[in-house]
Amino acid sequence: MKFRPFGLQVIPDNWDITTVSSVVNVVSRGKQPKYKNTGTMVLNQKMIQNDGIHYEFAKRHDIDKQIRPDLFLKNYDIVLNSTGTGTAGRSQIFLEKPKEKMFLDSHVTLIRPDTDKINPVFLFAQIHDSRFVKYIEDVLLAGSTGQVELSKAKVLEMPILLPPKQVQNKFGILYETIMKKQELIGTINDNLVA
């Protein structure tokens, strides 16, 4: 199945279609935590929702169990749910540094863009697009019903658009502005309900 990011039928001459592998520094599954009531925050699949990162669903990891430094989340990291029907394919981006030191569990894939090659928000917009999520569900997931997995290899092979950097940056600024306004509206609505 030939997939066209953003559903485009015609790609401008100076745009490329490439793969995630060509524009990232890191793609890695997280680590299985050893849960405890206190300790390091663990990003799990329930925290990754379409409208943002929900810290209220965070769990904690035993600080005595070592975690690889590259699994701790940074600004502009993209996180992608990678296990389970109805959950795999959901993604988010950290527009700002996480509220506290946090790593991801083994059901989540970290995508750390190479900012010299791609605007992170532009990459996220493609992965987060509903057509892309459907492509992940229909083509990339493997396994039995309910236990499907999105492997690291499949994430690296995912097709993405790569227009000139100035186009990416203009789009990224606009998309990030919209995301921050939506987050602000959500906060206001939560406060009105409370």
Side-chain angles (χ1 to χ4, degrees), residues 24-164:
V24 296
N25 289 324
V26 176
V27 170
S28 179
R29 288 293 281 268
K31 179 171 174 56
Q32 181 59 45
K34 175 130 176 91
Y35 288 119
K36 252 186 148 176
N37 290 334
T38 60
T40 308
M41 187 178 280
V42 180
L43 179 87
N44 59 68
Q45 291 195 118
K46 194 170 185 181
M47 291 176 69
I48 302 168
Q49 299 294 326
N50 290 325
D51 63 345
I53 301 292
H54 287 252
Y55 286 90
E56 68 270 23
F57 299 124
K59 295 184 179 182
R60 300 282 172 177
H61 171 75
D62 184 346
I63 57 172
D64 294 330
K65 305 294 179 188
Q66 293 296 317
I67 300 297
R68 290 186 351 240
D70 64 312
L71 293 181
F72 286 97
L73 294 160
K74 300 178 180 180
N75 195 31
Y76 290 114
D77 278 350
I78 298 168
V79 289
L80 178 64
N81 284 351
S82 300
T83 306
T85 303
T87 305
R90 218 167 41 214
S91 62
Q92 263 314 318
I93 186 171
F94 283 87
L95 294 176
E96 298 172 356
K97 188 176 177 184
K99 292 181 179 181
E100 63 179 88
K101 191 173 181 180
M102 176 172 33
F103 72 95
L104 58 158
D105 80 13
S106 59
H107 298 291
V108 179
T109 300
L110 167 66
I111 301 170
R112 185 165 290 150
D114 181 339
T115 56
D116 290 333
K117 295 179 180 175
I118 196 163
N119 179 293
V121 178
F122 181 78
L123 176 59
F124 169 69
Q126 293 182 71
I127 294 170
H128 193 68
D129 184 81
S130 61
R131 290 166 291 216
F132 202 95
V133 174
K134 181 148 181 46
Y135 170 74
I136 289 172
E137 292 170 345
D138 293 348
V139 178
L140 301 181
L141 294 179
S144 60
T145 304
Q147 297 301 316
V148 292
E149 289 283 332
L150 178 60
S151 70
K152 175 183 170 182
K154 291 291 185 187
V155 172
L156 288 166
E157 293 170 7
M158 292 191 307
I160 56 157
L161 285 174
L162 192 63

